[in-house]
């Protein structure tokens, strides 16, 4: 059953959404909760036992009004930061809406963070309150990283007998207050979220997301994900990170379409059971989830109701769709975006934007974003087929909202070119003659070998299709003759043992499947790839490791 928005011209829809969320009277709590019918299902929170707790919009409004009143009594005002260090739960959703009801700003903390990463974000955001789960309390206790005189108040969802002396109990705060607190109306420029980049290429940077960014988030929900009023949506990404928060939570709240939250970590059998039992029709997850399902010794249920499957966070390698069509019944659509923007380029599910999938392509720009590939050495569009810098033309992108990193003018300046005309994503790619965009690498991942510019993703895409490869990453190492050469780090399937024959076979696989000059000169077999907590491969860790090994080898071989 298509919604009315699916028959509407996408560019008209962008203008409508931009106007709604930029309004000077915009209220986050109203737009995300109160305007939806009270009896409508907002979320189905699925526990570790795979049983569900339902949360309606009426329930969410009442509970968040109570908690917002309690937060106000603790001195939280519009613009103040409130952090969450919680798993996916009803309490988590209530906390978010209470923060936004006050006009305060949410600071997401990933539950896999160690105390040092938590302290950096709490101090950097000047958070007044942090809401945590029972199993996260210990990370907030005074330690070498957490000061004993920390300025933030801790609220915990733990049972009464496990609440630390200095913490407040979530349930008691909720019970002590009455509903009815009015929702703040601060306008589209007011801050909504204070999030930090994942730090794959340096120290995490603060990004303040305004209410008006919700226009782009809802546009992606409708265009990229293709959400319809009859969908059951499940975004498996963790809301401690941008994609999981922007589109696993806010996409649902902006559209009012019921969604799932699954507590606990990834498990292939549980994933299939949730898809089947709760009749999920629209799924979004990181490529790692799909690759793990493909590699798991568990068969997909024979009957699934999936209508759409989407992937984001890292480029989707071709072997996933070779498997997905047979196992899930639908291909997986690759999508591309950033913490600083939301989603920019997609293989859209919306019927007016849907195109045939191309292996290795992240799709076409989403309406509301003017995305170009700029030449490497000049701020001018590159011709089709030429690798360059992926950029957004800001004046022609009504969904753009990022203006710079908080308190970091130097890093902010690096993100813009042409006197502010271009927002530089920091990614390298190319556009083909059909208008499809192709990811090549991060700026600092690109490999230049004997004059050739090689994006590691192209090589990884070929390697990943080899039957013995579970995961892989490609980096450059210095070479006296070629400047740089490629090396590959490969995680083999569990039933395969490393051998010289496999190395030679993988090298030949790349020569035949990609290019003779771009094969990896060395292949290293490892147990797992280094990744950020959100699942992104950290190639810089591999590069650093190899540089240290090569430096040690050179030192040992130099004559004394």
């Amino acid at each position: 059953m298509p919604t009315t928005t699916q028959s509407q011209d996408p560019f008209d829809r962008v203008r409508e959404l931009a106007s709604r969320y930029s309004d000077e009277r915009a209220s986050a709590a109203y737009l995300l909760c109160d305007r939806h019918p009270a009896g409508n299902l907002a979320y189905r929170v699925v526990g570790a036992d795979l049983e569900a707790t339902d949360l309606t919009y009426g329930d969410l409004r009442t509970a968040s009004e109570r908690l917002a009143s309690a937060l106000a009594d603790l001195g939280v005002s519009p613009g103040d930061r409130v952090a969450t260090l919680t798993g996916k739960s009803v309490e988590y959703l209530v906390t978010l809406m209470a923060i936004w009801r006050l006009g305060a700003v949410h600071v997401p903390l990933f539950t896999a963070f160690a105390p040092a990463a938590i302290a950096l974000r709490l101090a950097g955001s000047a958070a007044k309150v942090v809401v945590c789960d029972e199993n996260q309390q210990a990370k907030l206790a005074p330690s070498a990283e957490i000061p004993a005189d920390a300025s933030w108040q801790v609220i915990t969802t733990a049972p009464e007998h496990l609440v630390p002396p200095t913490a407040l109990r979530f349930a008691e705060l909720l019970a002590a207050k009455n509903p009815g607190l009015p929702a703040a109306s601060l306008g589209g420029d007011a801050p909504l979220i204070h999030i930090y980049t994942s730090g794959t290429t340096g120290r995490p940077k603060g990004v303040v997301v305004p209410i008006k960014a919700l226009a782009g988030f809802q546009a992606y929900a409708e265009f990229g994900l293709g959400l319809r009023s009859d969908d059951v949506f499940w975004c498996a990404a963790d809301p401690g990170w941008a994609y999981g928060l922007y589109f696993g939570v806010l996409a649902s709240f902006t559209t009012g379409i019921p969604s799932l939250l699954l507590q606990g970590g990834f498990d292939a059998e549980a994933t299939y059971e949730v898809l089947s039992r709760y009749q999920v029709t629209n799924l979004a997850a990181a490529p790692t989830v799909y690759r793990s399902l493909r590699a798991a010794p568990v068969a997909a249920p024979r009957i699934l109701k999936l209508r759409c499957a989407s992937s984001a966070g890292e480029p989707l390698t071709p072997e996933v769709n070779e498997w997905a069509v047979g196992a899930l019944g639908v291909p997986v659509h690759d999508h591309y975006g950033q913490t600083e923007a939301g989603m920019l380029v997609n293989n859209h599910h919306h019927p007016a934007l849907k195109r045939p999938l191309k292996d290795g392509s992240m799709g076409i720009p989403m309406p509301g974003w003017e995305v170009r590939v700029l030449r490497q050495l000049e701020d001018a569009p590159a011709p089709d087929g030429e690798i360059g810098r992926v950029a957004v033309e800001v004046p022609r992108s009504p969904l753009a909202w990022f203006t710079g990193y908080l308190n970091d003018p130097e890093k902010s300046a690096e993100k813009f070119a042409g006197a502010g005309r271009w927002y530089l994503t920091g990614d390298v790619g190319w556009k083909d003659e059909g208008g499809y965009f192709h990811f090549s690498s991060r700026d600092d991942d690109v490999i230049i070998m004997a004059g050739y510019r090689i994006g590691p993703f192209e090589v990884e895409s070929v390697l990943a299709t080899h039957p013995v490869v579970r995961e892989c990453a490609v980096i450059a190492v210095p070479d006296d003759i070629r400047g740089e050469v490629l090396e590959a780090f490969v995680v083999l399937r569990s039933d395969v043992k490393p051998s010289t024959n496999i190395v030679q076979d993988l090298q030949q696989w790349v020569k035949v499947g990609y290019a003779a000059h771009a094969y990896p000169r060395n292949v290293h077999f490892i147990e797992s790839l280094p990744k950020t907590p959100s699942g992104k491969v950290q190639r810089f860790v591999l590069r650093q490791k190899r540089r240290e090994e090569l430096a040690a080898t050179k030192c040992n071989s130099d004559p004394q």
Side-chain angles (χ1 to χ4, degrees), residues 2 18 47 89 98 105 173 175 191 223 232 241 266 271 293 298 322 376 412 487 515 528 555 559:
S89 64
V105 184
L173 292 175
F223 302 153
V232 175
W241 294 99
F266 172 80
T271 298
L293 288 174
V298 182
E322 293 175 12
Q376 290 288 359
S412 298
E487 295 194 359
S528 61
C555 180

Side-chain angles (χ1 to χ4, degrees), residues 368-381:
W369 295 99
E370 186 69 27
V371 183
R372 299 291 188 92
V373 175
L374 301 183
R375 309 197 82 157
Q376 290 288 359
L377 300 178
E378 58 179 305
D379 297 333

